[in-house]
Amino acid sequence: MGLFDRFKKKQPETMLDKVQEQAGALIINGFRRLAAANGTAPTAKTSDLKIIEIYKQVGSAFRKASKERNEHLPAGYLNTIVFKFFQVYEIMGDTMFYEHLKYEVARYIKEGLRDDYKQDLKLF
């Protein structure tokens, strides 16, 4: 390894790495396009990395809860939920984002999915 090799951008090593990298770009671009069209978050305040982090955290939490309820949440519903959580993150910050996520997941487990989450939001 050359002296400056470690500073080069790491290239995807496997087909899975390549797919995940492309999927991440589609997710980021999809949410940014929707936000720009609606005048909402995620704005420039939210980094691309944070968009992916929120997407994974919210999606995983609601998928796990849906299994607990023995239900299936369509991808479009999960996209709607994630989109709403970008607003929470930008308005209230990290701490309230996590508290609100815990609250909403517990509410979903107990009462079912909120009606305003039942929208089929297409990213691409």
Side-chain angles (χ1 to χ4, degrees):
M1 175 172 7
L3 179 61
F4 295 102
D5 287 345
R6 73 178 120 171
F7 297 110
K8 291 181 182 176
K9 184 178 179 197
K10 184 180 175 196
Q11 295 299 315
E13 296 176 8
T14 66
M15 182 60 82
L16 178 60
D17 291 337
K18 291 177 185 177
V19 168
Q20 287 178 332
E21 184 178 277
Q22 289 176 344
L26 287 172
I27 291 164
I28 292 162
N29 292 336
F31 280 119
R32 291 220 185 269
R33 181 183 44 78
L34 289 167
N38 292 293
T40 60
T43 66
K45 289 185 208 176
T46 304
S47 70
D48 290 354
L49 191 61
K50 192 67 175 181
I51 288 173
I52 295 299
E53 181 183 319
I54 289 171
Y55 179 82
K56 287 178 179 179
Q57 288 174 329
V58 173
S60 294
F62 273 87
R63 258 187 248 105
K64 183 178 175 186
S66 73
K67 285 180 182 177
E68 196 172 317
R69 287 184 54 85
N70 214 12
E71 296 178 350
H72 169 75
L73 290 178
Y77 286 15
L78 289 169
N79 290 338
T80 298
I81 296 165
V82 170
F83 194 59
K84 290 181 181 278
F85 271 87
F86 288 129
Q87 317 318 306
V88 173
Y89 171 75
E90 285 200 4
I91 293 168
M92 299 183 197
D94 258 339
T95 303
M96 283 304 296
F97 165 83
Y98 291 112
E99 291 302 315
H100 191 63
L101 180 58
K102 285 193 294 188
Y103 168 79
E104 287 294 330
V105 168
R107 179 179 173 181
Y108 167 53
I109 290 169
K110 183 178 178 187
E111 301 173 14
L113 196 64
R114 292 171 34 162
D115 286 338
D116 60 325
Y117 286 166
K118 295 178 184 176
Q119 296 177 38
D120 190 23
L121 183 65
K122 305 277 189 220
L123 286 185
F124 13 84

